[in-house]
Amino acid sequence: MSQDYYILKTLNLKDENIHFYEEYVKEEIIKGKRCLVFQGYLTYIPEYCPKCGVCYNDSIEKHGFKKSLIRIPSVSKIATFLSLNKQRYICHNCNKTFTCTSNIVNYGCNISNNTKHSIAVDLMKKKSEKDIAIDNNVSPNTVERVIDSYYQLNNKVYKNSLPEVLSFDEFKSVKSADGAMSFQMCNGKTGKIIDIVEDRKLNNLMKYFSRYSRNARSNVKAIVIDMYTPYISLIKKMFPNALIIIDKFHLVELISRSLNKTRIKIMKKSKENYNKLKRYWKNILKSRSELNCSSWKKYPCFKELTTEQDIVDYLVSIDIEFEETYQVYQDLLYAIQNNNIQVLESTLNMKYNNISEYMITSIKTLKSYAIYIKNTFNTGFHNGYVEGNNNFIKVLKRIAFGFRSFTRFKARIMICKGLINIKEKEVKNC
Ligand SMILES: [Zn+2]
């Protein structure tokens, strides 16, 4: 095997028309940085003139070289270039010149396709665009162009099919989105993101879903949502066969928020119990069955030996409003955790004299969503995956120090989540 073969193999360049000079690599300073520059030339005999189509034998002649400096992936973490002399030809038939071309780099571009692919692979990692640019020895603009080119190439959402179970949720997005919130839709069974929409306003989502075929929409059997009213009108209009399911996590969150607000209100009123109420907030939110009632220990802020359950009992007994609110909270929590619709309905419909205004609001909300909560209890679908996706998006955004353009943010999420395929062959001009 020749020296050319091994160098091409090492540099992962798949073009046998590239040959290397005897002194095939030099160290040079380019833009103040130490770089490796491989020295090669590209030549082959063209079959015909690309300008006029005349055959080689007739009137084509060699016409010197054209030099180009191509960025290739780093070797041993040192920025690496390929200085390539490309054979030029002149055609006497049309009196025009042309240059040999190679598949390692696109026409008119000096960044090799391998580099672009390496950028794309980096884009799948939780890494900022700036770091990717530094690691690949390119400018941040190049990284952005690679993102855009993959996105334009592969952003195909199939409008003719949708899974049986969908999850809707929103996430904190770029500033330009309405209320800085964007919409995401996932497969409710696998958690795979299907698409992301910048604006979660009702008419905008209506427009978006009207692009899906009627068949695809009527195939959807259930949709898990949080308590955001526009989603309900959206589903009723666009998904004729879908069951509306309220996510369990959001139900628990709603009632625990109102209990917590009540606790803070009582805390501010009662100076002597301030520290205790502050320290044991987690125990107050816990389900009663999870509290320990048998192991007696010394707890901070309490003089005598006591148990978790006794602590909570003491704290809620401080105030009648707090006590009654706590009872309602526990009943609702029990109903939600055990899918018990009877307990839920009786708790919601009971008359209360002393519960806090926060809990009253929550009860009102739950009452208005009661028919959908029944579906929650009966089906067991939840939005757990979506919350996982949201966390991932948050991390990605923090690493990137925020995104300015929604499209690029979306493209990055789609690439990281493997929804946009990064294939070596598909590197297009960018
Ligand atoms: Zn010609």
Side-chain angles (χ1 to χ4, degrees):
M1 290 287 175
S2 66
Q3 170 183 281
D4 287 350
Y5 171 85
Y6 290 112
I7 300 171
L8 287 174
K9 201 87 187 151
T10 313
L11 298 178
N12 189 27
L13 298 172
K14 288 166 190 134
D15 186 348
E16 286 167 4
N17 297 324
I18 296 176
H19 307 276
F20 291 89
Y21 298 107
E22 202 176 334
E23 200 184 311
Y24 61 84
V25 64
K26 284 182 192 163
E27 227 181 68
E28 278 178 31
I29 304 290
I30 296 175
K31 286 183 189 167
K33 251 169 81 181
R34 186 167 74 100
C35 300
L36 288 179
V37 183
F38 282 81
Q39 312 286 329
Y41 60 95
L42 170 74
T43 183
Y44 56 85
I45 294 169
E47 284 173 33
Y48 52 85
C49 165
K51 302 272 161 83
C52 69
V54 78
C55 280
Y56 176 76
N57 295 337
D58 297 344
S59 54
I60 297 176
E61 233 177 42
K62 283 187 176 171
H63 190 66
F65 285 95
K66 189 183 179 189
K67 194 172 179 171
S68 67
L69 195 62
I70 301 161
R71 244 168 252 256
I72 56 176
S74 307
V75 172
S76 290
K77 298 258 171 196
I78 303 170
T80 307
F81 290 86
L82 170 64
S83 161
L84 193 64
N85 281 325
K86 296 176 181 169
Q87 179 76 59
R88 272 159 65 85
Y89 287 97
I90 185 158
C91 165
H92 293 301
N93 186 46
C94 61
N95 263 335
K96 280 180 181 156
T97 58
F98 61 93
T99 314
C100 288
T101 57
S102 168
N103 61 7
I104 67 155
V105 66
N106 290 333
Y107 180 77
C109 190
N110 60 5
I111 295 169
S112 75
N113 291 340
N114 280 353
T115 304
K116 286 181 196 165
H117 185 244
S118 145
I119 294 170
V121 170
D122 274 354
L123 283 171
M124 295 177 77
K125 298 173 193 156
K126 289 182 198 130
K127 212 168 162 188
S128 81
E129 279 156 37
K130 208 175 158 190
D131 286 343
I132 295 174
I134 293 169
D135 290 354
N136 286 289
N137 186 31
V138 294
S139 71
N141 282 339
T142 308
V143 177
E144 289 186 350
R145 280 201 303 274
V146 172
I147 296 180
D148 295 348
S149 71
Y150 272 105
Y151 180 69
Q152 281 154 14
L153 206 66
N154 288 311
N155 179 38
K156 289 178 200 120
V157 175
Y158 296 102
K159 307 280 183 197
N160 286 322
S161 77
L162 278 170
E164 280 192 354
V165 184
L166 283 177
S167 275
F168 288 177
D169 203 6
E170 55 274 320
F171 60 95
K172 261 206 133 92
S173 177
V174 291
K175 277 181 192 153
S176 62
D178 168 54
M181 295 299 262
S182 291
F183 170 84
Q184 64 159 314
M185 167 170 66
C186 308
N187 183 328
K189 283 181 182 165
T190 62
K192 198 175 168 194
I193 296 180
I194 297 168
D195 206 0
I196 293 168
V197 184
E198 177 166 7
D199 192 335
R200 61 163 186 164
K201 267 190 223 142
L202 180 62
N203 52 358
N204 195 50
L205 288 177
M206 292 281 251
K207 232 186 263 167
Y208 170 77
F209 279 110
S210 59
R211 276 182 247 143
Y212 283 86
S213 70
R214 203 180 163 74
N215 216 355
R217 283 184 277 123
S218 31
N219 183 39
V220 179
K221 299 278 182 308
I223 300 177
V224 190
I225 58 169
D226 53 11
M227 281 165 280
Y228 179 62
T229 341
Y231 288 160
I232 292 180
S233 358
L234 172 77
I235 294 169
K236 280 184 179 161
K237 279 184 192 144
M238 306 305 278
F239 298 91
N241 301 324
L243 212 58
I244 298 174
I245 298 168
I246 306 280
D247 179 45
K248 228 179 205 189
F249 172 78
H250 285 96
L251 292 174
V252 176
E253 199 185 45
L254 176 79
I255 57 170
S256 44
R257 210 183 303 133
S258 55
L259 182 68
N260 227 354
K261 278 186 187 162
T262 318
R263 177 184 62 87
I264 290 163
K265 184 177 150 190
I266 305 299
M267 205 167 85
K268 283 177 184 160
K269 272 202 292 190
S270 157
K271 283 262 154 53
E272 69 269 34
N273 289 308
Y274 185 94
N275 286 335
K276 292 174 187 165
L277 282 164
K278 191 168 183 180
R279 185 177 262 269
Y280 295 101
W281 67 274
K282 261 189 191 163
N283 289 359
I284 295 171
L285 292 182
K286 263 191 198 168
S287 151
R288 248 193 113 66
S289 58
E290 281 175 48
L291 291 174
N292 190 321
C293 61
S294 57
S295 106
W296 294 70
K297 278 191 219 154
K298 186 95 185 69
Y299 286 94
C301 303
F302 285 88
K303 280 178 191 150
E304 289 107 37
L305 291 180
T306 177
T307 66
E308 274 184 350
Q309 210 171 72
D310 285 341
I311 290 177
V312 173
D313 284 344
Y314 168 75
L315 293 174
V316 294
S317 69
I318 292 170
D319 189 283
I320 178 83
E321 182 182 307
F322 193 32
E323 193 166 19
E324 206 167 298
T325 310
Y326 179 74
Q327 201 46 54
V328 175
Y329 169 80
Q330 286 296 336
D331 290 346
L332 290 174
L333 190 64
Y334 172 84
I336 296 168
Q337 283 176 344
N338 296 289
N339 298 334
N340 193 327
I341 196 75
Q342 281 86 21
V343 174
L344 182 82
E345 276 180 343
S346 64
T347 314
L348 291 182
N349 292 322
M350 224 177 311
K351 284 237 171 326
Y352 301 102
N353 300 321
N354 298 313
I355 61 169
S356 68
E357 67 269 28
Y358 309 116
M359 194 51 94
I360 294 173
T361 320
S362 291
I363 288 177
K364 264 188 203 154
T365 315
L366 289 176
K367 268 187 182 169
S368 64
Y369 287 98
I371 26 167
Y372 311 120
I373 296 173
K374 266 183 206 164
N375 296 337
T376 311
F377 291 0
N378 291 334
T379 58
F381 290 122
H382 59 85
N383 259 358
Y385 309 110
V386 188
E387 302 300 326
N389 289 341
N390 276 351
N391 251 341
F392 172 83
I393 291 170
K394 224 188 269 173
V395 171
L396 190 64
K397 213 168 118 184
R398 197 168 51 227
I399 289 168
F401 297 104
F403 285 85
R404 257 169 302 156
S405 129
F406 176 78
T407 323
R408 209 159 282 142
F409 185 28
K410 178 179 170 182
R412 194 70 207 278
I413 296 169
M414 303 293 250
I415 292 174
C416 272
K417 279 278 170 189
L419 297 165
I420 289 180
N421 259 339
I422 306 292
K423 282 189 203 136
E424 216 168 328
K425 280 180 197 160
E426 285 187 346
V427 191
K428 283 277 154 71
N429 250 335
C430 59

